[in-house]
Amino acid sequence: MFRLFASSSKGALRTAAKNQQVRNLSIHEYMSANLLSEAGIKVPKGHVATTPEEAYQAAKELGASDLVIKAQVLAGGRGKGHFDSGLKGGVKVIYSPEEARDLASKMINHKLFTKQTGVHGKECNKVFIVERKYVRREYYFAILMDRATRGPVLVASAQGGVDIETVAAEDPDAIIKLPVDINKGLSLESAQTLASQLGFVGNAREEAADTFLKLYKLFLAKDATQIEINPLVETSDHQVMCMDAKFGFDDNASFRQKDVFSLRDPTQEDPREVQAEKWDLNYIGLDGRIGCLVNGAGLAMSTMDIIKLHGGEPANFLDVGGSATAKQISEAFKIISSDSGVSAALVNIFGGIMRCDVVAQGIIDAVKELDLKIPLVVRLQGTNVDEGKKLINESGISIFPCDDLDKAAELVVKLSDITSLAQKVGVHAKLSLA
């Protein structure tokens, strides 16, 4: 997806931390196509299939000799991806129902790996069979929320059907940005001007402008955070169509967009993040080996930074919030321990509304229930800190207490290194205070 604000993964995490509990819903392509069609926007005809036989029937019903089969996975780069079945590419041109069935058998219930899925890939549970359109030109069009202008911005380019971020990096002048005053809306004149700038002429110009207006109306009506069309095309018979679409929706609007949020597919999400959401926890999985459990986004980011300062890598961002219960703390530990890559964990709590004795009880319950094998460094400060320390001291569980954050971070990095080394040689290291 084209980003107005280039950022590192760390910068993106900071944004996520500041905007707690904001999880932007993404939906599958075939669902996006349905939303577009309902809004009067032209899309290729298509049917979704969950089995190879359904793919065969879908291709047969479309009745065309030129079709496209697309893996329905919430990740970009599908066309250049590969499946664990050995199939190369998640978007394929097909010419018969039999070919649809054959390729579907190599996509459905197999993992697709792309540059956006990570090393674990994503399970493909459905395929989308659509009619193939022959196009004269391909364009890029998106509507995003822009922090700089505090409102929607239209982003467009005459270079569509390719990686738009590469276009933006190599040829910034090819990107057109049109901020929209959310109080006034997108005018017909502005839409027509944008269509002309992209190179649409004649009836296609008017149809493109009408498509832009309908997309903007849909963007507002559905509380979207993004609508990305890539490519937007002019077909050989001069129709303007949306060939591929990605939607994002603001979770804060879930109470009034129940129809949209019913489209959510949790199988495409990190199961740890799904579990965290159930318990009202803020969790983002990372690639390091040191689990973190902290209250407050700012403190969580500081904790991660100081771990990195001492040469470690955080395995997650996990903010339990300011009023978590002992049960929530326990569930947070379950999420951390479900990551097989975690070799040590650091708990850093500054009790204000959050009481240290509640946190301590949650830690004790989790360690006993999970029979936690990894070393655990705990720093407690603030409300009821003495009560919390007493609970831990009397619990009999093996914990490394530390009042100084810098020393706690240094210690957890060293413990992680020792545990990781032991794991590599197949030795279980049980560490405790001398």
Side-chain angles (χ1 to χ4, degrees), residues 120-137:
H120 301 295
K122 284 196 174 183
E123 189 88 7
C124 175
N125 300 313
K126 300 179 179 72
V127 293
F128 191 32
I129 315 291
V130 297
E131 58 183 355
R132 185 184 182 191
K133 290 289 184 180
Y134 290 89
V135 302
R136 296 183 70 246
R137 292 186 64 182

Side-chain angles (χ1 to χ4, degrees), residues 93-107:
V93 177
I94 54 176
Y95 302 99
S96 69
E98 290 76 17
E99 196 173 358
R101 179 167 52 200
D102 178 59
L103 287 175
S105 69
K106 298 173 183 176
M107 293 182 176

